[in-house]
Amino acid sequence: MMSRSFQRLAMAGVLAGAGCVLAMGPAEAGNTPPKTVPVRLLSLNDFHGNLEPPTGSSGRMVDETGATVDAGGAAYAATHLKQMSDKNTLKVAQGDLIGATPLISAAFHDEPSVEFLGKVGVTASAVGNHEFDEGYAELRRIMNGGCHPVDGCSPAGEWKGADYSYLGANVIFKRPTQSAERQALDALGGKNTTALRDLLKEYGIPALPPVAIRWMNGVPIGFIGLVTQTTPNIVTAEGIKDLEFIDEVKAANVASKLLRIVGVRAQVVLVHEGDQVTAGQSPDACSAQPGAGNRIATQVDAEIDMILSGHSHQAYLCTVTDPKGGTRLYSQGGSFGRVITKVDFRVDVKTRDVVRSSVVADNQVVTRTVTPDPEISAFVQTWKDRVASVANKPIGKITADIPNTASASGESPLGNLIADGQLVAAKTGGNAQIALMNPGGVRTGLTYAGSPAGEGDGVVTYGEAFAVQPFNNLLQVVTLTGAQLKTVLEQQFTGGPNNQAFTKILQPSSNFTYTYSASAPWGSKVSNMKIDGVDVTDTQTIRVAANNFLVGGGDAFLAFRDGTDLWSGPLDIDAFAAYFAANPSITPPVPNHITVVP
């Protein structure tokens, strides 16, 4: 049942400051008003700052005919958006628009990407987990404006803030201070302190606007933003230490009731959570394999008309059943700006609700056969020029390709190389004895022909190195006992109390070896740990280097949190670059440090 505090909160109009601008819609024209009006949504998800056309497999997409085509790039996306837009169009997004971005965006804390999205007319987006890569405070700066507190203003001058609303209905404060309560109250635009305190008791003080309302053709459309509740496991703990990420369905249902109270019946969930698909399918196929995204799509309140998703980087269009037996759209549009999801529907003027039988969705591939938008092309080139001096600086050479492709044991040559570099960087000051790298943090391989001129001379530039590790994580060292280190390694596998979703093999520095059994029960998989050829005992203490994402328990490696005597060193990318400087010609490591037995 809806609490009275929510009713008072909504009726008092405090939702206006959360993006719910309830201005009067335009009057109907003529003597015979229409029974329904059209609305078109165009949505993007998981853009990840790909202003330039993404390369390799990240820049290709299977189209509706089954052909694999080149796709993506901001200037091409802008052209497609213009071609698909009409007077009935609203543009929205489902998170991870920033974070894990190419250097052209990351070097300027993703301000160029956010500016681009504003230029093409995005009006509201769910936050994704990567929006928290630099912490909650930095996300607020991106939303509201101001220069970076450490790096200062970008070459474009003082940042003005995002032109679209970031939404997170399931992001609340853990232990709100008085100032946090004041901040939330200001964000909600109201002065009903009693109602806000009541809200805290039953739901929590929102750290971000939960909903946004946009008018189209005289009817209000409500957008509910959600981010995966697993966010604390996949971002750096320190940056979100004051936040709680509650169940997506619970938060969506509360937000839906709030919208309904203020008269908004047409409701769209923008959720940064999704499902995997059967590979090679058309982007218009319902190839999603039911998982976390499907749970949300089928369980949120029946009042919600459609669910546009993200996070899993897949493309699908599905029809699911709501809790009352009705049907509704559940979709996702790939990643990196390669697909735009177009949704056309009609809204009943009298009831202000979506006519679900009118919903027609299409995942359109952002092909590069169109003329790139000249304004956005110039915009991207400006930022490319600004970052060129950094990106094109050589940092060393490699003798052959160093891939991030996992071997049979789960380790990769590039993962080993990164760990070796981290070990060297963390020995002085941190007294590191071994290093471990999370495989998800190795985003692409290094190619011998990857120099700017493409001459095959093995030159590695800073930009290429940054593409490998784009997260700007700190290198840290903690002390673990041998037993605790074994627990960390056990947490690589499914079946344990940490609820690891799938096996994630940490990439070891070359001086650390061990054996694991794929068939042994959880807790008994890892054996024969050695450092520099010497057996590791349960009671000895070991200084372990890793990035702050892992040290904070990221990727469900919770045993890292048991580490003591924390030392923080350079950024991971700086450690990587320094390793190249100290080793001007690097041969690919052999990934043979982990032995697998039945």
Side-chain angles (χ1 to χ4, degrees):
M1 183 176 179
M2 190 66 182
S3 72
R4 291 181 180 178
S5 63
F6 279 124
Q7 294 178 20
R8 290 197 300 271
L9 187 63
M11 294 304 183
V14 297
L15 283 174
C20 303
V21 181
L22 296 179
M24 292 298 294
E28 298 291 353
N31 297 324
T32 308
K35 292 183 179 180
T36 63
V37 292
V39 178
R40 172 173 291 180
L41 300 181
L42 299 178
S43 77
L44 290 165
N45 60 274
D46 298 273
F47 181 65
H48 287 290
N50 278 269
L51 296 171
E52 296 183 273
T55 59
S57 60
S58 296
R60 295 189 290 270
M61 195 75 198
V62 175
D63 69 12
E64 293 87 344
T65 70
T68 299
V69 299
D70 291 336
Y76 295 105
T79 295
H80 281 274
L81 286 167
K82 282 184 178 179
Q83 292 177 348
M84 296 163 65
S85 296
D86 60 20
K87 64 181 181 179
N88 310 309
T89 300
L90 293 169
K91 297 165 189 171
V92 294
Q94 292 93 261
D96 275 12
L97 306 180
I98 60 176
T101 52
L103 188 62
I104 188 175
S105 182
F108 308 104
H109 299 281
D110 287 323
E111 291 174 18
S113 293
V114 178
E115 185 177 355
F116 157 71
L117 293 160
K119 282 180 176 292
V120 296
V122 171
T123 185
S125 175
V127 288
N129 53 284
H130 280 287
E131 264 78 14
F132 294 94
D133 278 352
E134 294 190 53
Y136 173 67
E138 171 63 4
L139 173 59
R140 297 291 303 187
R141 186 190 72 84
I142 288 294
M143 293 167 63
N144 300 323
C147 295
H148 191 273
V150 175
D151 295 334
C153 293
S154 81
E158 183 174 355
W159 174 239
K160 304 303 183 185
D163 287 333
Y164 55 90
S165 301
Y166 263 127
L167 310 176
N170 64 325
V171 185
I172 63 175
F173 287 111
K174 281 182 181 177
R175 294 171 293 275
T177 62
Q178 187 174 7
S179 62
E181 288 190 23
R182 183 69 255 169
Q183 183 184 50
L185 186 59
D186 291 342
L188 289 171
K191 298 185 178 181
N192 191 336
T193 306
T194 301
L196 185 58
R197 287 175 177 167
D198 289 344
L199 178 64
L200 173 61
K201 292 178 183 178
E202 299 187 38
Y203 171 66
I205 289 182
L208 294 167
V211 295
I213 297 171
R214 302 291 184 260
W215 287 87
M216 178 56 64
N217 292 329
V219 295
I221 313 296
F223 296 98
I224 300 167
L226 303 168
V227 61
T228 173
Q229 64 177 316
T230 67
T231 295
N233 292 332
I234 51 179
V235 303
T236 302
E238 180 65 21
I240 59 166
K241 63 182 179 180
D242 297 325
L243 305 180
E244 182 179 355
F245 295 77
I246 67 174
D247 180 77
E248 303 96 339
V249 173
K250 174 185 175 182
N253 290 348
V254 171
S256 175
K257 291 173 182 176
L258 287 169
L259 288 172
R260 192 163 66 235
I261 284 174
V262 296
V264 180
R265 299 294 304 279
Q267 299 182 9
V268 179
V269 160
L270 308 173
V271 57
H272 191 71
E273 181 62 280
D275 293 324
Q276 297 301 316
V277 301
T278 304
Q281 300 295 301
S282 163
D284 292 335
C286 181
S287 55
Q289 302 168 1
N294 182 270
R295 179 189 76 89
I296 298 166
T298 56
Q299 293 184 14
V300 294
D301 197 292
E303 185 72 24
I304 293 167
D305 298 293
M306 62 191 71
I307 292 85
L308 310 183
S309 71
H311 189 49
S312 59
H313 290 204
Q314 308 300 331
Y316 49 81
L317 295 176
C318 295
T319 299
V320 297
T321 303
D322 70 28
K324 291 187 177 180
T327 58
R328 59 188 173 196
L329 173 69
Y330 168 47
S331 71
Q332 188 175 160
S335 61
F336 307 145
R338 294 175 295 169
V339 174
I340 297 167
T341 302
K342 181 178 73 170
V343 186
D344 287 306
F345 58 94
R346 301 191 73 86
V347 178
D348 188 294
V349 173
K350 183 177 181 180
T351 66
R352 289 185 167 182
D353 208 351
V354 172
V355 180
R356 293 198 192 177
S357 61
S358 71
V359 176
V360 178
D362 182 20
N363 270 338
Q364 296 202 8
V365 176
V366 177
T367 61
R368 300 179 197 165
T369 55
V370 299
T371 302
D373 182 270
E375 179 189 355
I376 298 303
S377 293
F379 173 80
V380 173
Q381 186 61 49
T382 294
W383 287 103
K384 187 176 179 180
D385 292 342
R386 286 168 174 168
V387 79
S389 60
V390 177
N392 294 335
K393 181 180 179 181
I395 62 170
K397 287 189 175 184
I398 54 178
T399 62
D401 291 353
I402 306 182
N404 63 334
T405 305
S407 65
S409 67
E411 56 184 321
S412 72
L414 188 52
N416 292 152
L417 177 63
I418 292 170
D420 286 343
Q422 291 182 344
L423 177 59
V424 171
K427 278 186 175 180
T428 301
N431 300 313
Q433 296 168 266
I434 65 169
L436 296 170
M437 176 64 187
N438 55 309
V442 187
R443 305 303 280 191
T444 189
L446 291 173
T447 60
Y448 185 79
S451 65
E455 297 170 351
D457 59 1
V459 170
V460 177
T461 66
Y462 184 85
E464 290 164 351
F466 186 90
V468 171
Q469 292 187 97
F471 297 103
N472 278 319
N473 285 321
L474 280 175
L475 182 57
Q476 296 186 319
V477 181
V478 291
T479 297
L480 297 174
T481 66
Q484 289 170 330
L485 176 59
K486 182 179 183 299
T487 299
V488 166
L489 299 179
E490 292 284 341
Q491 289 178 343
Q492 298 174 123
F493 307 98
T494 60
N498 58 322
N499 295 318
Q500 188 67 272
F502 52 88
T503 297
K504 298 177 182 177
I505 300 299
L506 296 172
Q507 309 294 292
S509 53
S510 298
N511 68 327
F512 179 55
T513 61
Y514 67 93
T515 299
Y516 76 77
S517 168
S519 62
W522 195 94
S524 301
K525 289 181 175 293
V526 176
S527 62
N528 199 32
M529 295 188 300
K530 296 178 184 291
I531 299 175
D532 296 318
V534 179
D535 289 336
V536 173
T537 67
D538 285 348
T539 57
Q540 78 179 90
T541 57
I542 304 159
R543 294 289 285 166
V544 181
N547 59 47
N548 60 321
F549 169 71
L550 277 178
V551 170
D555 270 347
F557 286 97
L558 305 184
F560 260 114
R561 297 179 180 177
D562 297 328
T564 59
D565 300 321
L566 175 68
W567 174 86
S568 292
L571 291 173
D572 53 4
I573 179 60
D574 291 341
F576 196 40
Y579 192 70
F580 272 97
N583 300 273
S585 183
I586 291 178
T587 299
V590 179
N592 60 357
H593 310 102
I594 303 172
T595 301
V596 182
V597 298

